[in-house]
Amino acid sequence: MTSPDAAPQFASAALVVIDTQGDVLDGGGFPIPGTSAALPQMRRVLDAFRAAARPIVHIVRLYESDGSNAELFRRQLLADGTQLLIRDTAGSQIAGDLLPDPSAPLDAELLLSGQAQPLGPREVAMYKPRWGAFYGTQLEPHLRDQGISTVVFAGCNFPNCPRTSIYEASERDFRVVVARDALSGLYERGERELEGIGVQLMSADAVADAVTRAGDDPAPADLLRSGAPEPRLH
């Protein structure tokens, strides 16, 4: 069974939304299957965190057009003209449905300098230079400074950036929740592997309900009844 030490504490939770930008949506320059379909579930969780005045971080990728700040294997791809999250383009912007103010553009200069961009009350964007949201960023101190114990993940393409970020969060002894239907690219074996490191898999509705009820600090059993699957032994 999952250890009580890993059980979510939604009264001290933050939401991290990974790489949900225009180019990865249907019709974008580099569409990732399932990302557009998951937008309503992402919005469901975002609305609950906003209503509860809990912290939200939108993690983004921003590439220079020559690929100079990209991973080694993508540099030539970008230098050849592939439109993938190029800074200051429409495709690099966070999906409008997820923003408190869809008309507010990302400040690429600010983000690439390593600073957080405020988007709303307790809501910011941060740039990550590689797969993991904690690598080369201020995400960990940003969360620690707010007394965060639990990180809820949603966003784009589990096999790459979300998976890396989830493992990084676990390495830093955060309690980790994945909103399974608010994360594109998640598959059954991946779910089993996440459960094997103590990650709680919940539906977007169950996460939203738990955040809403967090003033009562529900016990793990209550969270499981709200929609999280019973943990399995592996």
Side-chain angles (χ1 to χ4, degrees):
M1 297 293 289
T2 299
S3 166
D5 293 330
Q9 297 174 326
F10 286 99
S12 57
L15 174 63
V16 176
V17 184
I18 306 282
D19 294 352
T20 311
Q21 297 162 259
D23 275 338
V24 304
L25 302 178
D26 294 349
F30 205 86
I32 302 296
T35 304
S36 288
L39 287 176
Q41 289 75 38
M42 295 184 210
R43 183 59 189 247
R44 172 82 168 99
V45 179
L46 279 160
D47 286 346
F49 271 78
R50 287 175 184 141
R54 303 302 310 149
I56 298 168
V57 182
H58 298 265
I59 299 292
V60 300
R61 296 298 280 282
L62 298 170
Y63 290 127
E64 302 289 355
S65 59
D66 62 1
S68 58
N69 68 337
E71 304 86 357
L72 291 177
F73 89 104
R74 278 185 175 160
R75 290 183 183 177
Q76 191 60 51
L77 182 75
L78 292 162
D80 289 344
T82 297
Q83 291 301 298
L84 173 59
L85 307 177
I86 304 299
R87 58 172 293 174
D88 299 319
T89 64
S92 71
Q93 302 302 310
I94 295 170
D97 289 349
L98 305 185
L99 291 173
D101 179 3
S103 67
L106 292 177
D107 184 337
E109 206 65 40
L110 180 73
L111 291 165
L112 288 166
S113 74
Q115 299 182 67
Q117 177 182 347
L119 299 175
R122 305 198 77 182
E123 187 165 353
V124 301
M126 287 186 180
Y127 158 77
K128 62 177 174 56
R130 290 294 182 269
W131 307 113
F134 291 86
Y135 176 79
T137 76
Q138 291 299 305
L139 180 58
E140 183 173 7
H142 178 77
L143 299 176
R144 299 290 187 202
D145 288 348
Q146 299 181 82
I148 298 303
S149 70
T150 300
V151 182
V152 178
F153 285 95
C156 175
N157 206 23
F158 167 72
N160 296 344
C161 301
R163 175 161 53 188
T164 304
S165 302
I166 289 164
Y167 275 78
E168 287 178 334
S170 178
E171 289 173 339
R172 288 159 174 79
D173 289 337
F174 287 105
R175 300 161 190 249
V176 181
V177 175
V178 167
R180 66 198 321 169
D181 52 345
L183 179 62
S184 63
L186 186 58
Y187 48 88
E188 184 178 354
R189 179 175 175 179
E191 290 190 355
R192 294 198 305 268
E193 291 170 348
L194 292 180
E195 289 177 338
I197 64 165
V199 173
Q200 295 290 305
L201 296 164
M202 300 174 68
S203 70
D205 283 345
V207 171
D209 290 346
V211 171
T212 301
R213 300 197 323 266
D216 298 326
D217 198 15
D222 294 327
L223 296 178
L224 291 173
R225 283 196 294 273
S226 75
E230 292 285 349
R232 296 193 295 260
L233 293 175
H234 301 291

